Amino acid sequence: MNALQKITFAATLILLGNAAVAEAPLKLPPVMYYSTLEDSLFDTLKSNPVFSQIDKELYGSPLRLGVIHTFAPTAGGTATGLTSAVLAGGSLGILPIVSNNDLVVTYTLSAHGKVLATFNYSKNFTQATNIYSNQGINHLDKPTTEWVNSTVTLFIADLVKNPDVRELTDEYNFYFGSIK
């Protein structure tokens, strides 16, 4: 075997070894879930193999996944919202309140109170609501809910790449066996 063949063979082994490591599926141990969003997000997360052991009532679990949503007003959205509120109040609720905000969904995975990974996803939404409607703090309209559920795919892709999360699952598998 000449030197070029040896180098090619070694490079092939290294690439195959790296491919085997990259393809190892990530499965998290039991994780407690809490959120400010509706249950559809929990169902979307639970359907993914990475979060097959997620539960809302694992109060003793050291692993916790928090999914929090906030609305951050844009510069133009603040002026629009104020004008819209004045007009809605002046028309005794006939005109809707129009708001333009960035919806920010934050996923935070922590172990024993220490944050392992946090990811933020945001998108701008314009909404028109009646001042007499009571949609609640956690209720989002259908297009907004669909977008929030679509962030699960982005979150899992980012989570799988995180070295701290990989290290945690490797350690868990070492001490407790692989997750089924």
Side-chain angles (χ1 to χ4, degrees):
M1 202 183 264
N2 67 23
L4 182 59
Q5 288 175 332
K6 287 180 183 178
I7 292 172
T8 306
F9 182 70
T12 304
L13 286 177
I14 291 171
L15 289 175
L16 288 175
N18 288 343
V21 170
E23 291 177 13
L26 178 72
K27 280 192 162 189
L28 287 173
V31 176
M32 182 183 166
Y33 170 84
Y34 60 93
S35 178
T36 60
L37 294 162
E38 298 173 345
D39 289 340
S40 64
L41 184 68
F42 173 76
D43 298 335
T44 306
L45 280 165
K46 187 144 179 92
S47 68
N48 192 294
V50 172
F51 287 103
S52 61
Q53 297 190 37
I54 194 169
D55 197 344
K56 294 179 184 177
E57 297 180 8
L58 287 174
Y59 298 112
S61 175
L63 295 177
R64 296 178 189 247
L65 175 66
V67 184
I68 310 298
H69 78 288
T70 55
F71 286 99
T74 60
T78 304
T80 303
L82 181 60
T83 304
S84 179
V86 169
L87 291 173
S91 68
L92 299 178
I94 294 173
L95 296 175
I97 297 175
V98 178
S99 62
N100 184 346
N101 298 314
D102 287 336
L103 172 61
V104 180
V105 178
T106 304
Y107 292 84
T108 304
L109 182 66
S110 60
H112 296 287
K114 178 186 171 195
V115 174
L116 287 176
T118 185
F119 304 98
N120 296 316
Y121 306 98
S122 65
K123 185 174 180 182
N124 187 274
F125 288 98
T126 301
Q127 295 179 323
T129 56
N130 187 300
I131 60 174
Y132 299 115
S133 71
N134 184 14
Q135 70 185 53
I137 250 177
N138 298 337
H139 181 75
L140 302 173
D141 60 1
K142 187 176 178 180
T144 309
T145 302
E146 288 173 357
W147 176 79
V148 168
N149 286 335
S150 75
T151 63
V152 169
T153 308
L154 300 170
F155 166 61
I156 290 175
D158 289 340
L159 188 71
V160 168
K161 295 176 196 171
N162 189 294
D164 292 336
V165 175
R166 280 275 182 197
E167 183 180 336
L168 173 84
T169 55
D170 290 345
E171 185 176 343
Y172 185 89
N173 292 338
F174 178 78
Y175 287 108
F176 301 107
S178 64
I179 301 163
K180 298 175 184 170

